[in-house]
């Protein structure tokens, strides 16, 4: 499996927790950006003529800040340039961009078959506190419009451990999300990233968040509610009806290859990770001159490839396949990690069978400690 991530960095408003590569939409060279993005796709695919792409994911930023005309140009170009097999084509969206069907119709007509909608909470007071500009009523309108246009594969995101968020409030958001009867849900704990408004407020002692115990209770509540609703967990933060797991995100967690197109986007081809320039003008300038906009490249030594195979695979409920590990790296997992695995199993953090290792429920709550155990000190 090979994926492609396409980054649209524009936002009408910057959320207080977001550290993704993004800029205010007003005054930006959006049309030029779209043309340069398509130029990057031409240059990169010409350098990899043998490569097909199984999953596409348009993220941001907010892709649906583009006008219908701009979306049409972008998606027409993608269809023309990328060797896409048509398996899964996701676009991120904000609810307030889907209050009419015009953008949804453009997406659907160009083969987008999955929507990922940023909801975060169904409490309007919480939404205001985190800098979201939609309100809970917009979510219902957006999903009704998406279904009217023909979208069935719809996912929404929820965030917990938010300022002012109580257990009862998160329970209400979970119940309202599940009542929408969508095939896929994601839920994440708030992470305080540098260069965000929330991080600065935290440094000033002005950000009041639920305790770690409440955070753990919120996560456990989500696990139980989604499972009871027939959306079993398949990755630490993701839940889906059988057959509706995000194939694009599974590309990341299986440590497969993917292209990264757009400002600040990262890709992973062969054994090389690369990252594009993030600032808009620094991204556009080389493309105007006919060059790819790559800021840095890093060829992963074997030790890093092995570490990433373990970290990423252990995020999934299926875990890491022993056979796949041996096929990729030419030696049994037990030869490198047998002692570590035995210790983690004894502590109740890992489970092991003949084919896989995977996190236990307890291990999910202590994931970082488990992942750290698989760091390799020396080149292997």
């Amino acid at each position: 499996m090979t994926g492609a991530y396409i980054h649209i960095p524009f936002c009408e408003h910057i959320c207080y927790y977001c550290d993704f590569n993004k800029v205010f939409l007003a005054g930006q060279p959006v049309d030029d950006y779209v043309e340069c993005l398509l130029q990057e796709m031409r240059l990169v695919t010409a350098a990899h003529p043998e490569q097909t792409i199984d999953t596409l994911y348009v993220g941001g930023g907010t892709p649906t800040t583009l006008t219908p005309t701009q979306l049409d140009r972008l998606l027409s170009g993608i269809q023309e340039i990328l060797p896409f097999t048509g398996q899964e084509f996701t676009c991120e969206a904000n609810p307030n961009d889907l209050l009419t069907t015009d953008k949804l119709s453009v997406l659907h007509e160009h083969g987008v078959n999955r929507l990922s909608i940023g909801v975060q909470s169904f409490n309007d007071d919480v939404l205001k506190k985190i800098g979201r500009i939609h309100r809970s009523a917009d979510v219902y309108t957006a999903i009704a419009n998406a279904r009217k246009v023909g979208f069935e594969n719809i996912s929404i995101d929820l965030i917990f451990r938010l300022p002012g968020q109580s257990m009862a409030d998160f329970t209400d958001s979970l119940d309202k999300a599940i009542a929408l009867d969508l095939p896929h849900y994601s839920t994440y704990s708030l992470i305080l990233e540098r260069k965000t408004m929330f991080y600065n407020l935290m440094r000033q002692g002005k950000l009041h968040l639920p305790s770690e115990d409440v955070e753990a209770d919120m996560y456990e509540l989500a696990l139980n509610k989604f499972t009871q609703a027939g959306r079993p967990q398949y990755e630490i933060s993701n839940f889906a009806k059988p057959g509706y797991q995000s194939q694009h995100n599974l590309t990341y967690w299986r440590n497969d290859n993917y292209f990264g197109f757009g400002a600040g986007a990262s890709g992973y081809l062969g054994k090389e990770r690369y990252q594009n320039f993030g600032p808009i003008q620094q991204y556009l300038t080389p493309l105007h001159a006919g060059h790819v906009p790559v800021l840095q490249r890093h060829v992963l030594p074997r030790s890093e490839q092995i570490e990433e195979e373990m970290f990423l695979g252990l995020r999934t409920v299926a875990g890491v396949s022993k056979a796949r590990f041996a096929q990729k790296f030419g030696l049994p997992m037990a030869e490198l990690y047998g002692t570590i695995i035995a210790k983690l199993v004894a502590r109740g953090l890992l489970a092991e069978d003949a084919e896989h290792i995977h996190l236990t429920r307890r291990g999910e709550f202590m994931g970082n400690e488990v992942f750290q155990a698989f760091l390799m000190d020396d080149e292997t």
Side-chain angles (χ1 to χ4, degrees):
M1 289 276 288
T2 300
Y5 173 77
I6 299 159
H7 190 68
I8 306 298
F10 309 112
C11 291
E12 288 181 24
H13 181 80
I14 305 299
C15 301
Y16 303 157
Y17 55 85
C18 180
D19 77 326
F20 294 135
N21 187 44
K22 77 282 180 189
V23 293
F24 283 112
L25 178 66
Q28 294 294 331
V30 181
D31 292 328
D32 190 22
Y33 182 87
V34 169
E35 293 304 322
C36 284
L37 188 52
L38 298 177
Q39 170 71 349
E40 182 192 1
M41 293 177 195
R42 292 186 193 95
L43 293 170
V44 173
T45 53
H48 299 273
E50 76 295 341
Q51 191 72 66
T52 57
I53 294 171
D54 303 297
T55 66
L56 292 174
Y57 193 105
V58 184
T62 314
T64 49
T65 56
L66 299 187
T67 66
T69 300
Q70 289 164 341
L71 281 171
D72 179 72
R73 175 65 187 130
L74 172 66
L75 297 171
S76 297
I78 289 171
Q79 288 181 307
E80 174 195 332
I81 299 163
L82 295 184
F84 177 46
T85 63
Q87 185 175 136
E88 181 188 88
F89 191 169
T90 302
C91 186
E92 290 182 349
N94 273 353
N96 49 295
D97 292 324
L98 308 182
L99 300 182
T100 63
T101 58
D102 52 352
K103 295 181 183 182
L104 285 162
S105 296
V106 174
L107 296 174
H108 195 259
E109 287 163 9
H110 286 291
V112 174
N113 56 20
R114 183 175 183 273
L115 293 176
S116 179
I117 302 175
V119 171
Q120 319 318 353
S121 174
F122 282 84
N123 182 320
D124 285 349
D125 290 334
V126 170
L127 290 170
K128 290 175 190 173
K129 285 180 182 175
I130 66 177
R132 299 291 289 174
I133 56 176
H134 77 271
R135 296 297 171 253
S136 58
D138 299 336
V139 177
Y140 295 98
T141 303
I143 288 172
N145 283 339
R147 285 171 164 159
K148 187 192 305 181
V149 167
F151 285 101
E152 177 205 2
N153 194 353
I154 303 169
S155 177
I156 63 174
D157 295 352
L158 296 175
I159 302 179
F160 57 95
R161 191 185 167 235
L162 292 170
Q165 186 181 48
S166 66
M167 194 71 184
D169 172 72
F170 184 55
T171 303
D172 182 64
S173 282
L174 285 171
D175 289 341
K176 286 176 176 173
I178 289 167
L180 287 167
D181 194 27
L182 301 174
H184 190 285
Y185 297 91
S186 302
T187 188
Y188 307 95
S189 173
L190 175 69
I191 297 174
L192 296 176
E193 302 284 6
R194 293 177 183 273
K195 299 181 181 177
T196 64
M197 184 179 293
F198 274 175
Y199 184 83
N200 292 334
L201 289 172
M202 181 270 292
R203 293 286 300 271
Q204 298 165 25
K206 296 178 180 177
L207 189 69
H208 304 292
L209 303 175
S211 68
E212 287 187 6
D213 285 345
V214 171
E215 176 187 1
D217 290 344
M218 287 176 168
Y219 180 58
E220 188 155 25
L221 179 71
L223 291 176
N224 293 333
K225 279 190 172 286
F226 285 131
T227 300
Q228 290 163 10
R231 273 70 176 169
Q233 181 187 33
Y234 71 98
E235 189 270 346
I236 284 176
S237 301
N238 287 273
F239 308 82
K241 284 170 64 174
Y244 285 89
Q245 297 88 347
S246 168
Q247 295 305 305
H248 181 81
N249 287 338
L250 283 168
T251 299
Y252 299 144
W253 300 320
R254 290 172 180 153
N255 208 16
D256 286 335
N257 280 186
Y258 55 91
F259 294 90
F261 299 111
S266 297
Y268 180 39
L269 298 174
K271 298 175 182 178
E272 181 183 81
R273 290 201 181 278
Y274 65 91
Q275 183 177 16
N276 285 346
F277 287 101
I280 303 296
Q281 288 303 328
Q282 289 184 34
Y283 170 76
L284 298 177
T285 298
L287 286 162
H288 288 154
H291 305 300
V292 292
V294 174
L295 168 65
Q296 58 187 6
R297 300 180 186 274
H298 172 57
V299 177
L300 273 66
R302 192 160 174 270
S303 58
E304 283 186 44
Q305 295 171 45
I306 290 171
E307 288 169 358
E308 291 190 359
E309 188 80 9
M310 303 303 289
F311 301 159
L312 295 166
L314 283 171
R315 290 191 61 90
T316 66
V317 169
V320 184
S321 162
K322 294 178 179 179
R324 179 182 163 96
F325 184 97
Q327 181 182 16
K328 284 183 80 169
F329 302 113
L331 77 170
M333 188 187 296
E335 188 173 318
L336 274 181
Y337 290 124
T339 303
I340 291 168
I341 290 170
K343 287 179 180 177
L344 293 169
V345 169
R347 291 179 59 196
L349 302 179
L350 272 188
E352 181 181 21
D353 58 34
E355 296 178 352
H356 296 84
I357 64 165
H358 62 88
L359 293 176
T360 61
R361 176 67 70 93
R362 181 162 178 254
E364 287 185 36
F365 287 87
M366 301 175 68
N368 287 340
E369 184 178 339
V370 176
F371 300 155
Q372 194 168 2
F374 290 98
L375 287 173
M376 300 170 66
D377 295 329
D378 303 308
E379 177 75 17
T380 302

